Amino acid sequence: MHRASVGLQRYAFADLRTLLAKASPIRSGDQLAGIAADSAAERVAACMALAELPLATFLNEALIPYEQDEVTRLIVDGHDAAAFAPVAHLTVGAFRDWLLAAAPEAIAALAPGLTPEMVAAVSKLMRNQDLILVASRCQVLTRFRSSLGLKGRLATRLQPNHPTDDPAGIAASLLDGLLMGAGDAVIGINPANDSVPALCRLLALLDELIRRHGIPTQSCVLAHVTSTLQAIELGAPVDLVFQSIAGTEAANRSFGIGLALLDEAHAAVRSVQRGGEHLMYFETGQGSALSAGAHHGVDQQTLEARAYAVARRYRPLLVNTVVGFIGPEYLYDGKQITRAGLEDHFCGKLLGLPMGCDICYTNHAEADQDDMDGLLVQLSSAGLNFMMGVPGADDVMLNYQSSSFHDQLFVRELLGLKRAPEFEAWLQRVGIADDAGRLLPGAERFALGFELPGP
């Protein structure tokens, strides 16, 4: 039992799971699950009790039983006690203070010793500015054909989705994005058709584009991992294996995956040897476990952090929190989406992951593009590894609002952020950008000799 008082009112929290849920900043998903604090006063009391909790408690009290959940077993069995030692004596509140004062090298060394529950807990005690400041000190580097996560750089996923997977429509979006200097993180297509033949056609289209023009980037078609495994067996040009993941075994089962399947996919893409050691692309989002009825009474932000334990197992090239995509049932408005994006980036970076964010919302959420502009600036200031580039910020296949090619130009100008160095050099070499990385006048008329595929 955990207790704290606010004024004359005494509050009690039955267990660690309840304490974490009640301490969470308000969000509609936890309210929908019936686990949120009933009042602001109760939330403050939960934060006070959480601040006094020893960090080591999370090593002894599992939120989801070890015997019932393979994600819990992954977290417990993979914990690095030696890396944890510098903060093992601290409470959650003292750990917050430690993070705010720590050097980047000390934070990076700590990552293997932290559990998702620890970083979720400390994030609940932080203001937005705290989340930004600490995350800005966390540099996580990955590499395939381009080097991602370097200080002072922000990469972009070029997302040329099309509602019918029409090659000409995809190619037009690709050309638009490349001429706007986007695509250094990955050229990634969400397929409308998840069949293996359709997947292979899209992979071949992207591979031909990258090889023909010598573009230092990587491709990914965001099909289910089982489809990608079949594509690898057929000899398709697979750079990265994609999969959506969640923070509980049951939620991952609802996606049709488990750790054994991800292990198989990781081994398969390693055998292809098309790039370096970072070969996976994962996407996550607060609320996925609740929507699958697989949350075990744990708050959605803590479950999101547990998904990062799954990602960490595979040393991925990219991890993307698709922060506002699931809808207002889980993150109701712009304020909740902003908070969730900052939490996710902070927690992922503390755990040693190359975090990006799809700064997005659905059209029935109480949010708009002004909210996304604010979150874009905040996350870019916090050292975001990559963002999305969608034509006009409007994904015509997935029917949601994201960030555009123009948005990445804005934040580069504002904060002086460069692209991945190999991609920046390519833009300069082909005449799209100048030596400072700015688009050259008339670049929109330069078509790279790119021929649009026929029907």
Side-chain angles (χ1 to χ4, degrees):
M1 185 72 71
H2 308 276
R3 295 183 173 84
S5 296
V6 176
L8 300 177
Q9 180 69 45
R10 183 77 167 166
Y11 293 91
F13 308 97
D15 52 30
L16 188 54
R17 182 169 49 194
T18 302
L19 179 65
L20 287 169
K22 299 289 188 180
S24 288
I26 193 69
R27 62 206 61 203
S28 51
D30 291 339
Q31 292 174 317
L32 180 65
I35 61 175
D38 293 327
S39 66
E42 185 180 27
R43 188 172 305 109
V44 169
C47 287
M48 292 169 64
L50 183 60
E52 297 301 319
L53 187 77
L55 266 183
T57 303
F58 293 101
L59 300 177
N60 303 313
E61 185 177 341
L63 302 183
I64 303 171
Y66 182 93
E67 299 75 17
Q68 298 177 16
D69 186 87
E70 68 175 359
V71 179
T72 298
R73 294 193 289 274
L74 174 65
I75 293 167
V76 172
D77 295 347
H79 182 254
D80 187 331
F84 180 59
V87 296
H89 62 291
L90 298 179
T91 63
V92 176
F95 182 44
R96 171 188 175 274
D97 296 339
W98 185 94
L99 287 170
L100 289 170
E105 298 78 11
I107 297 174
L110 198 63
L114 297 178
T115 70
E117 293 85 355
M118 291 175 189
V119 300
V122 75
S123 76
K124 298 176 194 296
L125 304 183
M126 290 185 152
R127 293 173 59 184
N128 287 2
Q129 64 177 271
D130 300 334
L131 299 173
I132 294 168
L133 180 61
V134 174
S136 73
R137 298 177 184 152
C138 300
Q139 188 178 42
V140 181
L141 306 180
T142 57
R143 192 179 188 283
F144 198 93
R145 296 186 188 98
S146 56
S147 302
L148 307 175
L150 292 165
K151 197 75 172 176
R153 296 184 183 266
L154 172 67
T156 308
R157 169 187 161 188
L158 203 171
Q159 183 170 310
N161 295 344
H162 191 276
T164 64
D165 289 340
D166 176 59
I170 290 171
S173 294
L174 282 170
L175 181 60
D176 187 21
L178 290 172
L179 293 179
M180 296 287 275
D184 46 342
V186 65
I187 301 175
I189 301 173
N190 296 89
N193 182 349
D194 200 18
S195 72
V196 174
L199 168 60
C200 291
R201 284 194 295 271
L202 292 175
L203 286 166
L205 184 155
L206 295 179
D207 182 62
E208 195 268 344
L209 169 75
I210 290 171
R211 285 191 298 105
R212 184 195 302 180
H213 299 292
I215 307 172
T217 190
Q218 34 286 333
S219 69
C220 186
V221 178
L222 283 67
H224 192 271
V225 64
T226 53
S227 298
T228 306
L229 271 170
Q230 293 180 62
I232 291 173
E233 291 171 2
L234 292 170
V238 174
D239 286 345
L240 304 175
V241 171
F242 166 81
Q243 184 55 47
S244 295
I245 56 173
T248 72
E249 179 180 346
N252 283 324
R253 195 182 306 124
S254 76
F255 292 155
I257 63 166
L259 295 181
L261 180 58
L262 294 178
D263 287 348
E264 180 184 353
H266 189 233
V269 74
R270 282 176 61 87
S271 72
V272 175
Q273 296 184 337
R274 289 176 59 86
E277 290 296 308
H278 307 109
L279 304 172
M280 305 289 276
Y281 175 14
F282 294 114
E283 287 192 345
T284 65
Q286 290 194 26
S288 59
L290 176 58
S291 67
H295 62 98
H296 298 272
V298 180
D299 69 273
Q300 65 185 42
Q301 188 256 331
T302 299
L303 291 178
E304 172 73 5
R306 283 171 55 95
Y308 302 154
V310 177
R312 184 165 62 172
R313 176 179 176 89
Y314 303 100
R315 299 180 61 230
L317 182 78
L318 306 163
V319 179
N320 180 35
T321 169
V322 192
V323 66
F325 182 74
I326 303 181
E329 300 85 0
Y330 309 99
L331 295 169
Y332 178 72
D333 57 16
K335 182 179 179 65
Q336 291 187 18
I337 291 170
T338 295
R339 176 69 190 190
L342 294 175
E343 288 170 346
D344 295 350
H345 179 251
F346 165 88
C347 290
K349 282 292 185 65
L350 274 192
L351 292 170
L353 289 175
M355 292 301 298
C357 183
D358 192 342
I359 300 164
C360 64
Y361 64 101
T362 56
N363 285 311
H364 61 309
E366 290 295 320
D368 58 28
Q369 212 64 38
D370 288 339
D371 297 310
M372 301 306 104
D373 288 351
L375 181 54
L376 171 61
V377 172
Q378 291 175 73
L379 281 171
S380 299
S381 300
L384 188 71
N385 277 37
F386 70 100
M387 59 178 284
M388 301 297 110
V390 178
D394 182 9
D395 192 302
V396 295
M397 195 278 279
L398 294 174
N399 295 310
Y400 79 115
Q401 308 303 308
S402 184
S403 51
S404 72
F405 304 137
H406 296 83
D407 292 331
Q408 56 96 17
L409 294 176
F410 149 73
V411 80
R412 293 188 195 288
E413 182 71 21
L414 178 69
L415 300 177
L417 297 171
K418 295 185 176 295
R419 301 171 183 87
E422 302 88 349
F423 193 83
E424 195 92 77
W426 176 80
L427 291 176
Q428 294 162 4
R429 188 165 62 251
V430 299
I432 294 176
D434 64 16
D435 291 343
R438 295 184 296 265
L439 297 186
L440 288 168
E444 68 276 8
R445 298 189 298 274
F446 182 60
L448 297 170
F450 186 69
E451 299 176 3
L452 300 184

